[in-house]
Amino acid sequence: MYESLRREISYIQGLLEGDSSHQHHVEYKGLNRLLDIIDQLIEANEQMARRLTELEEYVEAIDEDLNDVELLTYGEEDDEGMVEVVCPECGEEVLLDEEDLEDDSVELLCPKCHTLLEVEDVNEEEVDDLITATE
């Protein structure tokens, strides 16, 4: 993407430089300056995109390390008292604490596709059904 933008800017600069009769006009100088600014913005955006990628990788590594620490500290997870909810977008199974179902509405974020899952108005029979379905 950035290379394509740079090629377009170079093309426009070439067009401006090809017409030497207008190089001292205010419009020419203004267009040249705008092209320089756009080039700087592309460079800054490219650096931010690289940095964002680095940060995402770093956060993922920290998350994996934290998961290892949690497993060492708390042991393996037991699913007792948990209800399984399936994400309609990606099919990921998300565990929900039974106590959370006592609220009128529960919002979960799917860990795989980041879809907002809403569990609303679950009555006692449905909770029992959900619990027996996961056991």
Side-chain angles (χ1 to χ4, degrees), residues 99-112:
E99 295 172 3
D100 292 336
L101 290 174
E102 295 172 2
D103 297 337
D104 290 338
S105 176
V106 178
E107 291 182 350
L108 296 171
L109 192 62
C110 176
K112 186 173 182 182

Side-chain angles (χ1 to χ4, degrees), residues 77-88:
E77 295 180 17
D78 60 349
D79 293 344
E80 196 168 312
M82 302 297 281
V83 176
E84 185 178 286
V85 179
V86 178
C87 175

Side-chain angles (χ1 to χ4, degrees), residues 83 101 121-133:
V83 176
L101 290 174
D121 300 327
V122 179
N123 61 34
E124 288 298 321
E125 281 180 23
E126 290 171 330
V127 169
D128 291 339
D129 292 343
L130 285 171
I131 294 168
T132 55

Side-chain angles (χ1 to χ4, degrees), residues 61-75 77:
I62 289 174
D63 186 48
E64 289 172 3
D65 291 344
L66 179 60
N67 187 38
D68 292 344
V69 170
E70 286 176 345
L71 288 174
L72 287 172
T73 304
Y74 301 113
E77 295 180 17

